[in-house]
Amino acid sequence: MSNGTEKPGLTDWFEERLGLAIITQFLRQKTVPQHKHSLWYYTGSAILLFFSIQIITGFMLLFYYKPTLEKANESVGRIMTEVPLGWILRSVHFWSSTFMIAIVFIHLMSIWFTKSYRKPRELTWMSGVFLLLVSLAFGFTGYLLPWDDLSVSATKVGTDIPRSIPVVGAWATKLLRGGEDVTGDTLTRFFGFHVCILPLFALFLIGLHVYLIQKQGMSLPLSLEKRQEKVKELPFWPNFVYREMIVWLILLGLLITLSISFPPSLDKAADLMAPAPEGIKPEWYFLFLFQTLKIFPSTILFVSGDTLAVFLILLFAILLFFLPLIDNKLEKMKGRIISYIAVAFLVFAVGMSVWSLLE
Amino acid sequence: MMNKRRIFWALLVIALVVVGLGQSLAQEIPPEQPAQKAQVMEDQGKIIPSPKDIKERTAIYVFIGWMWLSITVLIFILRAKIKETDRLYHLRFFSQKKE
Amino acid sequence: MKLKHSLFTRRQFLNGLLGGWLAALLGSFLYPIVRFVFPPYREPDQVILLFADYKDMPPNSVRTFPWGSKPGLVKKNDDGSYSAFVAICTHLDCNVTYLPEQKKFFCACHEGWYDEKGINIGGPPSRPLRRLGIVVEGEDLIIKKEDVE
């Protein structure tokens, strides 16, 4: 921003050394298409907003949380009672995880329906599927950390599921649990995943995902691409960012209001020797998987029902990952069937979740 | 002239930030005792967080009110900014030079 | 005073209002975070000990007790009275010890010296040791926040 007549300012000092103006120039030139499906473009930055909130509130909780079997529950209790406004911070962390995973699902479905994963955006989709798995892993590992009866039992059930896979199943369960059973070692391991390993994966994947989006530009829904007419474009900076800020403000307001009105409680510390409590349920984003496992009978044709269910789920996940390569005839019957499958999956997931809640 | 403008802006921003901080200081009233918002139910050992007394509850309502008021005002300003930048874009104001 | 020209344009006004109010809102979010990160240190108003544990102390000796999260020292003086100190060196917060042969408190970190009343007499400490009130009430030895004397 220097013209010859002005004294060189701070911006120029940094610009000479870092050369970051290339980024601001890019952001000014980047455009976002405007059409009736543009609403879905807001989901990406909403996820980033909640992820950032998770990092900040996570750092804060990290100051006081003690990740050992003896102290975990007590330290969360201390955060909620002794540390000033700790209960609000924990509540925000809890609610923000729900918001983030909900918007991740919405984002995934919107990409699926608009078939935005088609060439050249296959890698963007694949990194996105990994990000979905990382987000769910964040939720799963975080759920154990308060170490109360419900979370320990839910973790026992959750880490038992891989066991039904032949050959590698038992090994996978041991890897997750840090042994045969859920113990203090499991807690330490989950804590390591939650605050170090998963964040590093997430940051790498987000970097890749966002880079690919910038490189390839915003995608158009298939119907509009075929039409050949010019779609209205809006500059990313500042026009689209101002619109995004409105969305962020509303989401932030909802987050804080819900966090203050419905903070999570804390049960007493888990007793590993006690029988399982009634009504074990995982977090809402796992309910549909949980219910699916429940409805399979214990044996089907010499194979255990669990094994079959897990296989089907894994198969679905693998197909989801390779979706851009599978959906190569977008307008033909195959492409349309895939869209119907998307609807079917949505109905299935919502239906199973509701059924699980009502049970 | 430029300096007066800069001084004005600096003062306004500082004033708004101070007011914002001051309001939140008044709202988030520090608790006297260590066991602030927890109601520990002895029989179940469950900790349910909630405001300790009417003062804290009022503070929370005030904070939420201030927050939503600010969000409304900010959205109002952002809509004006959006209208403005859209208008400028359509006038091709930005096309030749970089700002 | 009438101005010939506006101080700023409508755009600048709007920009400033946006930035300023956003800063105020984010500032109000920052407040709970700052309070969370700096929890208040609460010192106990008093600590109640069992006098029986301290009754049989020989004169010119000390025994430790917890003063909140800090170490405290109960000292039995030569005349049989008790004094209580916060056993933290006033230089750079190391824990001090009592050397009965020399009748001095000593801080090993930078060789700070205090006499038997806790007055700083040598080395870097610039202030005396903090004295606490100490009172015997029946079976209890009560250490109080307010300094006696």
Side-chain angles (χ1 to χ4, degrees):
Chain A
M1 280 227 327
S2 56
N3 54 41
T5 52
E6 251 182 63
K7 256 196 336 210
L10 199 59
T11 325
D12 301 317
W13 191 92
F14 278 108
E15 180 51 31
E16 257 184 290
R17 288 149 181 79
L18 294 173
L20 289 178
I22 198 172
I23 296 183
T24 43
Q25 266 170 39
F26 170 76
L27 289 175
R28 276 178 227 273
Q29 286 163 9
K30 175 179 151 97
T31 60
V32 178
Q34 289 293 99
H35 47 76
K36 70 173 182 217
H37 298 296
S38 290
L39 201 65
W40 304 113
Y41 290 145
Y42 294 97
T43 52
S45 66
I47 298 175
L48 281 177
L49 171 74
F50 288 115
F51 188 63
S52 313
I53 293 176
Q54 288 303 80
I55 294 179
I56 296 174
T57 52
F59 282 167
M60 304 287 104
L61 291 169
L62 200 53
F63 280 178
Y64 295 105
Y65 176 73
K66 298 186 168 60
T68 64
L69 184 147
E70 297 83 12
K71 291 282 191 170
N73 188 276
E74 180 194 312
S75 60
V76 176
R78 188 172 158 241
I79 289 173
M80 288 169 68
T81 56
E82 283 175 33
V83 181
L85 305 172
W87 67 278
I88 294 184
L89 237 90
R90 180 187 176 225
S91 188
V92 170
H93 194 78
F94 169 78
W95 276 101
S96 179
S97 80
T98 286
F99 271 79
M100 179 177 138
I101 294 183
I103 302 186
V104 164
F105 277 123
I106 295 173
H107 185 70
L108 177 132
M109 294 311 296
S110 76
I111 304 289
W112 194 346
F113 279 123
T114 53
K115 297 196 191 293
S116 300
Y117 47 68
R118 60 192 186 276
K119 175 173 171 175
R121 295 182 172 85
E122 300 94 332
L123 285 177
T124 320
W125 170 269
M126 290 178 179
S127 58
V129 171
F130 273 132
L131 278 167
L132 169 70
L133 295 174
V134 165
S135 308
L136 294 174
F138 265 122
F140 186 60
T141 51
Y143 197 56
L144 178 66
L145 300 184
W147 196 257
D148 57 16
D149 270 323
L150 194 58
S151 57
V152 170
S153 305
T155 306
K156 277 200 195 143
V157 172
T159 49
D160 205 47
I161 290 171
R163 209 196 282 274
S164 26
I165 306 171
V167 182
V168 291
W171 171 85
T173 295
K174 259 199 278 206
L175 174 69
L176 286 171
R177 289 183 176 176
E180 280 297 327
D181 305 297
V182 173
T183 58
D185 280 341
T186 317
L187 178 62
T188 314
R189 199 166 279 223
F190 272 33
F191 179 71
F193 272 115
H194 193 81
V195 309
C196 186
I197 301 175
L198 287 172
L200 285 176
F201 279 176
L203 286 173
F204 166 71
L205 287 165
I206 291 174
L208 177 64
H209 197 80
V210 170
Y211 163 71
L212 285 169
I213 293 167
Q214 307 317 314
K215 179 160 195 327
Q216 292 159 352
M218 302 301 287
S219 70
L220 280 174
L222 198 56
S223 42
L224 283 169
E225 210 179 52
K226 289 190 308 166
R227 236 180 265 167
Q228 297 288 335
E229 66 193 48
K230 199 125 178 17
V231 177
K232 264 199 311 177
E233 299 261 351
L234 208 62
F236 176 75
W237 176 271
N239 306 54
F240 189 70
V241 173
Y242 285 150
R243 290 167 163 83
E244 279 189 322
M245 284 173 71
I246 295 183
V247 173
W248 294 344
L249 282 170
I250 297 176
L251 288 173
L252 208 55
L254 285 171
L255 174 71
I256 305 277
T257 309
L258 282 171
S259 301
I260 293 187
S261 317
F262 304 107
S265 60
L266 178 72
D267 285 330
K268 63 177 174 27
D271 180 359
L272 288 176
M273 301 292 122
E278 292 174 34
I280 301 178
K281 262 186 355 210
E283 276 293 291
W284 65 268
Y285 35 88
F286 289 126
L287 282 176
F288 73 105
L289 291 170
F290 187 59
Q291 194 68 9
T292 308
L293 281 165
K294 268 210 233 173
I295 61 172
F296 271 70
S298 38
T299 39
I300 300 177
L301 297 175
F302 316 115
V303 176
S304 117
D306 267 354
T307 309
L308 195 60
V310 173
F311 256 123
L312 283 175
I313 292 172
L314 274 179
L315 183 66
F316 180 75
I318 293 173
L319 288 174
L320 192 71
F321 180 76
F322 285 110
L323 190 57
L325 304 178
I326 298 173
D327 195 359
N328 46 5
K329 293 195 172 49
L330 297 156
E331 279 110 67
K332 308 280 188 196
M333 199 54 176
K334 191 176 178 186
R336 264 198 292 219
I337 291 182
I338 288 179
S339 296
Y340 294 147
I341 293 179
V343 178
F345 170 69
L346 189 61
V347 171
F348 174 77
V350 174
M352 290 303 237
S353 306
V354 171
W355 183 10
S356 179
L357 278 172
L358 293 173
E359 264 195 357
Chain B
M1 197 57 188
M2 279 296 284
N3 277 332
K4 249 195 229 158
R5 214 180 290 181
R6 284 200 186 136
I7 292 174
F8 173 83
W9 280 124
L11 284 175
L12 181 65
V13 169
I14 290 174
L16 276 171
V17 171
V18 166
V19 166
L21 279 172
Q23 284 186 348
S24 45
L25 263 164
Q27 288 148 24
E28 247 80 59
I29 296 163
E32 271 85 41
Q33 312 90 293
Q36 36 164 325
K37 296 192 199 264
Q39 289 163 4
V40 182
M41 286 153 48
E42 285 307 320
D43 49 347
Q44 293 170 5
K46 195 169 161 148
I47 300 181
I48 300 174
S50 60
K52 190 171 45 142
D53 51 21
I54 187 71
K55 217 158 122 190
E56 275 181 3
R57 207 174 299 157
T58 320
I60 285 178
Y61 285 138
V62 171
F63 174 73
I64 301 230
W66 144 258
M67 183 185 74
W68 281 112
L69 172 75
S70 305
I71 289 177
T72 316
V73 168
L74 285 167
I75 290 182
F76 183 72
I77 300 174
L78 278 168
R79 278 158 58 100
K81 293 285 306 168
I82 287 173
K83 267 190 264 194
E84 178 67 4
T85 46
D86 280 357
R87 186 179 71 91
L88 287 175
Y89 173 66
H90 287 125
L91 288 177
R92 305 210 182 288
F93 183 72
F94 295 115
S95 48
Q96 273 87 7
K97 49 182 160 87
K98 309 176 290 198
E99 269 224 323
Chain C
M1 170 192 113
K2 196 159 166 59
L3 295 172
K4 255 208 181 131
H5 307 281
S6 293
L7 280 175
F8 32 75
T9 66
R10 273 170 287 213
R11 181 171 303 140
Q12 287 171 324
F13 176 75
L14 212 55
N15 284 344
L17 201 61
L18 177 67
W21 205 302
L22 196 60
L25 182 66
L26 293 177
S28 67
F29 288 159
L30 205 63
Y31 174 75
I33 292 180
V34 168
R35 288 219 54 224
F36 182 92
V37 170
F38 296 100
Y41 170 66
R42 268 176 261 276
E43 208 180 36
D45 285 327
Q46 59 179 26
V47 165
I48 301 178
L49 306 164
L50 207 55
F51 183 49
D53 294 335
Y54 298 86
K55 197 159 53 149
D56 300 320
M57 282 166 70
N60 194 33
S61 70
V62 294
R63 204 160 284 186
T64 54
F65 71 95
W67 176 250
S69 56
K70 298 190 209 267
L73 286 176
V74 170
K75 176 168 176 288
K76 187 160 191 180
N77 302 315
D78 287 334
D79 59 2
S81 64
Y82 290 93
S83 316
F85 302 92
V86 178
I88 304 267
C89 182
T90 53
H91 175 229
L92 288 176
D93 282 4
C94 288
N95 294 356
V96 301
T97 183
Y98 184 67
L99 303 174
E101 317 82 50
Q102 305 182 43
K103 289 201 174 173
K104 291 186 183 140
F105 290 96
F106 174 64
C107 176
C109 286
H110 306 96
E111 295 190 14
W113 293 96
Y114 305 82
D115 70 8
E116 55 179 341
K117 290 200 164 52
I119 313 281
N120 47 317
I121 51 175
S126 52
R127 294 187 317 277
L129 284 180
R130 182 155 162 231
R131 291 193 71 133
L132 300 167
I134 182 164
V135 133
V136 179
E137 275 176 29
E139 289 189 357
D140 298 327
L141 184 68
I142 304 182
I143 319 282
K144 296 203 171 143
K145 194 160 63 163
E146 310 89 52
D147 304 357
V148 174
E149 219 168 44

